[in-house]
Amino acid sequence: MVRGVGSGGPAPVPQDSTPVGKTESTKTESAQNQQVESKETKSGAASNAASRIAETAMTGSLLAAQLQTQLTPEKPTTIAGSAVVKKPDLAEGPGVRPEVKETQKQLNEWRARNGLEPLKEDGIFGPKTKAAVQQFQEANGLKKDGIVGGNTRDRLALENNENFQKLNPQTQDQVRTLMNGSQKDPVSRQALLTIATDENFGKLSRADQDTALQDIKGTASNTAEKTMQGLNNDQLLKLAESPGGKEQLAALKMALEQGPVTPAKQKELDRINSATFTPAGGLKLQGSAADQATYLHMTRREMLTSPAFAKTMNEINADKAHPVTVNVGRDMPGVRLDVDRGGGKQDVDLADLEKLPVSPTAQNPHAITQGEVLIHAMREARQRALGEKLHGPAHEAAIKAENEYRKDIGQTSFRKTTPGEDETFVDNELGDISIVIHFDGAPDEELKFDKQQKIQR
C-alpha cells in the first residue's frame, strides 16, 4: 500500500358497467347503451392489460423485502416475482418426487388436448416420462433433451393456460415464436408468459395485441431495471456469489441490453459487471482457492462501492498485453499488508488486510480501509506492468488513485501526494516499524507492525 507496506520495507382494474333501463327504455336508448358498453369494455380491457404490464414491470420494487428472507446460507438464492425465477431442472432419475408428479400432470393436460395417451402420474421420472417430455419439446420447437428446464416449464405453463388457449390462432403462434426466440432470455420469456396468460389480453384488438407483444423487449428491460434497483450492493454481491446467481444476473443483463441503454440502465449493467467480476487475461491470481475467493469478494465489493476502484480493476483485466499478477495469502513472510515486487507483481496479505475496517467508523471517519489498501496495491502493480521501472512514481500514482477512492466513499481528508511527505517510518516498541500516513485535513494514521511484520490493531 505504502513504501514499507507497498514495497516490503521503507523504500385494479376498472369494472365494465352496462347502463340498465328502469322501465320504459326506447330502442334508441338501448342502442346508445350498447355503444357505451362496447366502448367501455374495450377501454377497460386495454386499461387492464396496460395495468398488468405495468404490474409486471414493477415487481422489482418488492424484491428487497423478499430477498431479506431468501438470501440466507440455508436457502438457495432466487430472484423472486415475474422477473427471473430459478428452479432446479428435472431430469430422469430414481425416486418419487412431488415436482415430477406435478410435471406429469401438466404433460397430461397437454397430451389430452392433443389426443395422446396419458402418463401415469406417479412422481417417478422414468423412461416414459422422459419420452413424453421429449415429445412435448419436439412439438413445440424446443431442445429435445428430455430435461424439464426453464424453457420447457414455461411452455407447459403457457400451453395449458385457459386464457392463452382462448386467443386467436395467429396470436398464439406469434407468442410461441417469441417464446422460442427468448430461450436464452428468461426475463423476456417471463414477461411474455405474464401478458399472454392475462385474461384481459384476449379482449384487446389484434392491433393492440401486436403492439403489446412487439414491445416485449422493452417490458422485459424495464422489469430488469426495476429488479436491479431493488437490490442494494450487499444483496447484489450475495446473489452473484450464490449458486446459480451468475446465471440469473446474466439473464438480467441480457434483458437490460434490449433496446436503448439509458444512463440508469447503464448504471445497473455496471453493477452487474462489478458483482460478477472474474479474472480474465489481464489479471492473474496465485494462492489457495479460498484466499483467491476472499480477494475476489473484497474486489467485487469495492468495485460496487467506488467507480475509481472499478475503473482500475476493469483496466487491468482488459489488458492482456500487460498482465498484473497478484499473489494472495495469509501471514506471508516479509509482507506488510502488500508488497510491490515489480513488473506488475504484487503480494497481498489477507490476514493483515482483514484487520482494517471495511468502511470508515464513527470513531475514525478518516480511517484507512481495506479498499484503500487494495486500490493502492492494484494501481501500483498496474503502473509497474505498464513498464514503470521505479517504485516511487508507481507509488505516487497509487496515492492519487487512493485519494479518488477516498472521495468515492465520502471521506473528506486525503493523503499528501508530495513524495517524502506522504508517509514516514519510525521504530516501534513491538520490534518492527510503524508507518505513519500523513493527511491533508485529518490527523496522521499509524499502521503499527510487530516483529513478525504483522499489523496490530
Side-chain angles (χ1 to χ4, degrees):
M1 167 188 175
V2 289
R3 288 198 314 269
V5 181
S7 61
V13 171
Q15 299 297 317
D16 294 340
S17 59
T18 302
V20 179
K22 295 293 184 180
T23 54
E24 299 179 4
S25 296
T26 64
K27 291 182 179 181
T28 301
E29 290 173 331
S30 178
Q32 290 175 340
N33 289 343
Q34 290 174 4
Q35 290 175 357
V36 170
E37 178 182 4
S38 175
K39 183 177 181 180
E40 289 186 353
T41 299
K42 183 175 181 180
S43 175
S47 176
N48 293 345
S51 296
R52 184 67 173 187
I53 293 171
E55 179 186 340
T56 303
M58 291 190 294
T59 53
S61 65
L62 303 175
L63 202 54
Q66 292 169 329
L67 285 174
Q68 294 298 328
T69 57
Q70 289 179 333
L71 295 182
T72 62
E74 294 79 19
K75 293 183 179 181
T77 302
T78 61
I79 287 182
S82 63
V84 178
V85 179
K86 180 71 174 178
K87 294 183 179 180
D89 292 349
L90 289 180
E92 186 177 10
V96 176
R97 290 175 281 172
E99 59 270 29
V100 173
K101 189 172 184 178
E102 177 60 29
T103 298
Q104 290 169 333
K105 180 181 178 180
Q106 293 175 342
L107 286 167
N108 279 339
E109 288 184 40
W110 178 80
R111 292 175 72 82
R113 289 196 311 277
N114 289 274
L116 300 171
E117 293 183 4
L119 282 168
K120 184 178 180 181
E121 297 177 16
D122 57 6
I124 300 174
F125 203 131
K128 289 185 179 180
T129 297
K130 180 177 180 179
V133 171
Q134 290 175 318
Q135 191 173 19
F136 175 82
Q137 291 170 330
E138 184 174 22
N140 288 281
L142 303 175
K143 184 179 179 181
K144 188 181 173 182
D145 58 6
I147 298 173
V148 182
N151 286 299
T152 301
R153 187 178 289 113
D154 287 347
R155 282 303 290 274
L156 274 169
L158 180 74
E159 298 295 338
N160 288 337
N161 183 270
E162 291 183 1
N163 293 323
F164 176 73
Q165 293 165 16
K166 293 176 183 176
L167 297 176
N168 67 72
Q170 291 83 4
T171 301
Q172 288 180 340
D173 287 343
Q174 185 178 2
V175 172
R176 289 172 178 135
T177 298
L178 289 168
M179 288 281 279
N180 283 348
S182 301
Q183 293 189 42
K184 295 183 178 180
D185 182 1
V187 178
S188 293
R189 210 169 58 238
Q190 286 286 324
L192 273 167
L193 184 59
T194 300
I195 293 171
T197 57
D198 187 324
E199 62 178 343
N200 295 296
F201 181 69
K203 299 176 183 178
L204 297 177
S205 68
R206 272 289 283 137
D208 288 340
Q209 288 176 347
D210 282 342
T211 298
L213 293 175
Q214 287 170 6
D215 193 38
I216 197 66
K217 295 295 185 182
T219 300
S221 181
N222 290 336
T223 300
E225 182 180 359
K226 295 289 185 181
T227 298
M228 285 296 302
Q229 289 171 346
L231 289 167
N232 63 35
N233 285 344
D234 288 340
Q235 292 168 330
L236 177 58
L237 183 56
K238 195 165 188 178
L239 173 61
E241 294 179 347
S242 67
K246 275 193 174 183
E247 290 78 3
Q248 293 182 66
L249 290 175
L252 285 171
K253 183 177 180 180
M254 180 183 295
L256 282 168
E257 291 172 336
Q258 303 298 330
V261 177
T262 64
K265 285 186 172 66
Q266 186 59 57
K267 178 181 178 181
E268 301 309 327
L269 287 168
D270 291 342
R271 291 179 70 218
I272 290 175
N273 289 337
S274 293
T276 58
F277 178 85
T278 303
L283 177 63
K284 302 180 185 300
L285 295 185
Q286 296 177 347
S288 71
D291 287 344
Q292 290 188 40
T294 297
Y295 167 85
L296 283 175
H297 174 78
M298 289 180 173
T299 296
R300 292 164 181 155
R301 180 191 68 207
E302 300 302 334
M303 289 177 71
L304 285 167
T305 300
S306 163
F309 200 108
K311 178 182 177 182
T312 292
M313 295 308 301
N314 288 327
E315 183 182 319
I316 289 171
N317 213 26
D319 192 353
K320 298 180 181 180
H322 305 92
V324 165
T325 301
V326 181
N327 180 35
V328 292
R330 294 177 182 277
D331 299 323
M332 303 167 73
V335 179
R336 299 181 183 92
L337 278 173
D338 72 289
V339 172
D340 170 18
R341 298 296 187 189
K345 297 179 180 180
Q346 199 87 359
D347 289 350
V348 174
D349 193 311
L350 298 173
D352 280 349
L353 198 61
E354 289 173 342
K355 292 179 181 178
L356 299 178
V358 173
S359 302
T361 63
Q363 294 77 15
N364 186 6
H366 306 286
I368 292 176
T369 63
Q370 294 178 14
E372 186 172 348
V373 173
L374 278 176
I375 193 171
H376 184 112
M378 298 312 298
R379 175 49 64 179
E380 200 167 63
R382 170 65 173 163
Q383 296 306 116
R384 300 299 295 272
L386 289 173
E388 176 56 64
K389 297 185 180 302
L390 300 178
H391 172 79
H395 173 77
E396 186 176 350
I399 292 177
K400 292 179 181 178
E402 202 175 329
N403 283 339
E404 289 179 18
Y405 171 87
R406 291 177 70 86
K407 183 178 180 181
D408 285 345
I409 66 172
Q411 287 177 305
T412 57
S413 60
F414 305 97
R415 283 190 63 176
K416 293 182 180 292
T417 55
T418 303
E421 295 183 5
D422 61 297
E423 61 192 20
T424 55
F425 306 87
V426 297
D427 293 333
N428 63 35
E429 71 280 10
L430 301 178
D432 197 52
I433 62 169
S434 290
I435 303 173
V436 183
I437 312 299
H438 305 297
F439 290 97
D440 285 322
D444 294 342
E445 179 89 358
E446 182 180 2
L447 301 177
K448 185 179 293 188
F449 296 85
D450 63 18
K451 60 184 178 180
Q452 281 80 39
Q453 298 180 330
K454 300 297 102 186
I455 195 169
Q456 298 299 308
R457 305 296 288 179

